């Protein structure tokens, strides 16, 4: 496949010069949802699907972008002197944003590039195609210009570009997973300190199955930012009665003891989710390490209930998928994954139940919702790298 991309690159831009190849993955989060901007823990892993980049240096200050996913848009040309977001720039706002964020840190980009991109993450699925494009860009900028940045720096630069160039106020989880992923491992990340640890995902006789609801409700970005604001409000009120820096500093007991300091019921529910979900993530990793997969699954289920009822980021289609999954013998756990309001669920399913899972949920979902779901039995892959 990479060979095909190189052929396309040569056809578009000519065959001369040194052509380099890169890959950065998408991610799925196993547990610890909406905790990454609340100083809590997350537990994502990188996938083997993601974004490929074929890149060659130029001598002038022009950048040419082409995406195999958006062939109709053709080659989009811009200049290093024009690193500002614009509607017309479409998807190229992501790589441009990363370039902008490097320059902002004093790493000036000396000459332009020809770039071809291809992503095999399903569109709008919430498996972090944009974070993978950001990490990919960070990686090829580092390699091309010899910038002295680590993969963690690349994740932070990606987040900065998404927050301040592309206007989505996301946390660090997606970029971190894409940059720092490790085959067969999930990353237990403390988003408060960025300390992390790899935990082998040993599921013995089970698999990770992602189910794509193929819906994406349009309120995603505004609702995401609302949740952030509600959590900040709750934190401010709690700080009047307890000495904490983030919601992730609280145990469940401490939260229960102080929760009345939060005036609005909505903010109290949001904070409750943030606190409990963080503790669930910590416990889930302990369970996985101890080989207690059943406990891990129960924590995933509880995570879904909390995201549905307290954080209110699920939606009808996702709840249908999770309810169907919970009824199937051999399903160890199932929950919504990612930002919410559509996208995907993640389930741990016993090997001998995978076929039933796919066929029976597929049929029932089609009947109830009127369109197909998609299923991916996934492998955990490495973080961004040169090919
Ligand atoms: C989106 C954001 C992440 C994280 C998740 C929810 O994927 O990009 O930073 O907040 O939602 O856990």
């Amino acid at each position: 496949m990479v060979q095909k991309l190189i052929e396309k690159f040569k056809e578009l831009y000519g065959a001369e010069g040194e052509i380099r190849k890169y890959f950065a993955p998408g991610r799925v989060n196993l547990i610890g949802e909406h905790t990454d901007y609340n100083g809590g823990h997350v537990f994502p892993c990188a996938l083997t699907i993601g974004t490929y980049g074929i890149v060659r240096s130029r001598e002038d200050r022009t950048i040419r972008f082409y995406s195999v996913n958006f062939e109709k848009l053709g080659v989009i040309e811009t200049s290093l002197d024009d690193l500002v977001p614009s509607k017309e720039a479409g998807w190229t706002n992501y790589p441009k944003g990363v370039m902008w964020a490097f320059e902002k840190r004093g790493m000036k980009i000396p000459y332009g590039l020809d770039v071809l991109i291809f992503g095999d993450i399903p569109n709008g699925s919430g498996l972090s195609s944009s974070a993978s494009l950001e990490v990919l860009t960070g990686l090829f900028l580092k390699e091309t210009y010899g910038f002295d940045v680590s993969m963690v720096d690349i994740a932070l630069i990606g987040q900065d570009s998404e927050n301040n160039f592309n206007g989505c106020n996301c946390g660090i989880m997606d970029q971190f997973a894409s940059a720092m992923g490790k085959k067969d491992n999930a990353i237990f990340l403390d988003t408060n300190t960025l300390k992390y640890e790899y935990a082998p995902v040993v599921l013995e006789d089970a698999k990770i199955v992602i189910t794509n609801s193929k819906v994406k409700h349009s309120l995603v970005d505004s609702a995401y930012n609302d949740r952030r604001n509600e959590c900040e409000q709750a934190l401010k009120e709690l700080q009047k009665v307890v000495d904490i820096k983030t919601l992730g500093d609280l145990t469940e007991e401490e939260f229960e003891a102080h929760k009345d300091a939060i005036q609005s019921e909505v903010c109290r529910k949001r904070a409750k989710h943030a606190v409990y979900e963080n503790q669930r993530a910590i416990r889930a990793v302990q369970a996985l390490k101890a080989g207690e997969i059943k406990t891990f699954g129960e924590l995933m289920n509880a995570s879904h209930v909390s995201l549905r009822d307290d954080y209110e980021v699920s939606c009808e289609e996702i709840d249908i998928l999770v309810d169907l999954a919970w009824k199937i013998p051999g399903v160890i756990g199932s929950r919504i994954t990612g930002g919410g309001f559509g996208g995907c669920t993640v389930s741990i399913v016993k090997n001998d139940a995978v076929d039933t899972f796919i066929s029976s949920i597929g049929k029932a979902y089609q009947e109830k919702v009127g369109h197909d779901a998609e299923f991916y039995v996934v492998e955990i892959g490495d973080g961004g790298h040169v090919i």
Side-chain angles (χ1 to χ4, degrees), residues 27 32-34 36-37 170-174 224 338-339:
R27 65 94 189 91
E33 212 69 80
H34 288 278
D36 68 343
Y37 49 86
C170 66
I172 187 64
M173 171 169 75
D174 304 347
Y224 186 89

Side-chain angles (χ1 to χ4, degrees), residues 329-342:
V331 171
I332 296 164
S334 185
R335 58 182 284 278
I336 186 172
T337 185
F341 305 102

